[in-house]
Amino acid sequence: MAAFTDRVAIVTGGAQGIGKAICEALAAEGASLAIVDIAEDTAKATADELCAKGIKACAFQANVASAESVGDMVKAVLAEFGRIDILINNAGITRDNLLVRLKEADWDAVISVNLTGTFHCTKAVARPMMKARYGRIINIASVVGVMGNAGQANYAASKAGVIGLTKTVAKELAGRNVTVNAVAPGYIMTEMTHVLSEEAQQQFLQNIPLGRPGTPEDVANVVCFLASPAADYMTGQVLNIDGGMIM
Ligand code: NAI
């Protein structure tokens, strides 16, 4: 039997990039998917693409930064699928600048989506998962949340916050068989990193022992492992997926 037969997964930011690869990898093991994204058209296109392959997938438009929007989304997912087994908190944004030039609005935006968004979605699924005495929550952090990165004070703080949130919620929900883990990707080829200057991309590459950028699939594979029965005895962990960047 496939690892996720009869399991329902919510993937935030699932319309493209790492989130889309996670949707595809979970679906390959039998999961039904709620593709949650602020970008309605892209989410629908991704859901259609998966449905065409015989996968049960639905798009749900939501802004993770809004508790109300997340509450409505979780209600809609429960109405559609009847259960939520897996939550992947993947939606994320960057608004990079050096500290002295960083606008408060850009600080707030990044914290609201990356950290508060993870809080909203986690809180919204916690009760149904606790009641079911089963849940797998995987948060997409970043190596930047562990090591810091010049020009990303807001992003690094949000991802460090996600790591603290992961460990705390792991402790609170462990008694109900809900595990909470995080992955910390390094430099992964997506729209998010596409915008980096050639110089910044080369600098990242020089610091990767495996000598190549990561792919969305590299991240999706580890996320799938953490959501699978093979990782049933792991909680509160942060796994780096970075080609050895911060070993
Ligand atoms: P991406 O920009 O390609 O995709 C992000 C998705 O999140 C988009 O579909 C976007 O519409 C959605 N989104 C943005 N704000 C949202 C909101 N308020 N509510 C709901 N959905 C929202 O980015 P990528 O690279 O796929 O990143 C995915 C996650 O991986 C992010 O959390 C990012 O911080 C993290 N990450 C990415 C790395 C990389 O090198 N690409 C490295 C480390 C972490």
Side-chain angles (χ1 to χ4, degrees):
M1 199 169 74
F4 306 124
T5 304
D6 298 331
R7 297 287 185 208
V8 174
I10 291 179
V11 181
T12 70
Q16 66 172 46
I18 293 171
K20 183 179 178 188
I22 292 170
C23 288
E24 287 168 341
L26 290 171
E29 286 293 323
S32 298
L33 284 160
I35 301 169
V36 173
D37 209 289
I38 200 163
E40 193 170 14
D41 291 349
T42 329
K44 275 197 178 131
T46 300
D48 288 347
E49 204 182 309
L50 294 183
C51 288
K53 294 180 189 164
I55 294 156
K56 185 152 179 9
C58 278
F60 297 85
Q61 201 271 339
N63 175 6
V64 296
S66 154
E68 194 187 350
S69 179
V70 167
D72 291 347
M73 176 273 289
V74 166
K75 269 189 214 141
V77 172
L78 284 171
E80 175 70 28
F81 293 103
R83 55 191 292 155
I84 297 165
D85 303 287
I86 298 165
L87 167 67
I88 315 293
N89 282 306
N90 166 80
I93 59 168
T94 52
R95 296 280 186 277
D96 297 351
N97 222 328
L98 293 172
L99 176 76
V100 292
R101 292 189 208 136
L102 190 58
K103 295 196 175 74
E104 192 168 345
D106 288 336
W107 171 271
D108 287 344
V110 170
I111 298 291
S112 297
V113 176
N114 300 7
L115 179 55
T116 312
T118 301
F119 161 66
H120 287 149
C121 294
T122 304
K123 188 174 172 189
V125 303
R127 279 186 207 280
M129 284 184 176
M130 286 163 80
K131 208 167 153 207
R133 289 194 152 58
Y134 183 87
R136 297 290 173 262
I137 300 173
I138 294 126
N139 298 326
I140 313 301
S142 166
V143 292
V144 164
V146 180
M147 66 175 189
N149 194 27
Q152 290 197 305
N154 49 359
Y155 185 77
S158 74
K159 295 299 189 178
V162 165
I163 291 172
L165 179 66
T166 300
K167 294 179 181 180
T168 300
V169 182
K171 286 185 176 176
E172 290 190 17
L173 302 188
R176 303 294 179 98
N177 190 33
V178 177
T179 66
V180 190
N181 291 288
V183 297
Y187 171 45
I188 312 295
M189 299 295 283
T190 67
E191 300 279 325
M192 188 179 267
T193 45
H194 193 64
V195 296
L196 291 173
S197 67
E198 185 62 28
E199 192 193 346
Q201 296 193 32
Q202 283 308 320
Q203 211 177 346
F204 270 123
L205 277 178
Q206 276 166 16
N207 290 315
I208 300 174
L210 284 178
R212 66 166 178 89
T215 63
E217 292 71 30
D218 287 324
V219 179
N221 289 337
V222 180
V223 169
C224 263
F225 160 69
L226 287 171
S228 79
D232 276 354
Y233 197 53
M234 290 178 70
T235 197
Q237 302 305 302
V238 185
L239 299 184
N240 298 330
I241 312 167
D242 64 352
M245 194 197 283
I246 65 160
M247 71 172 100

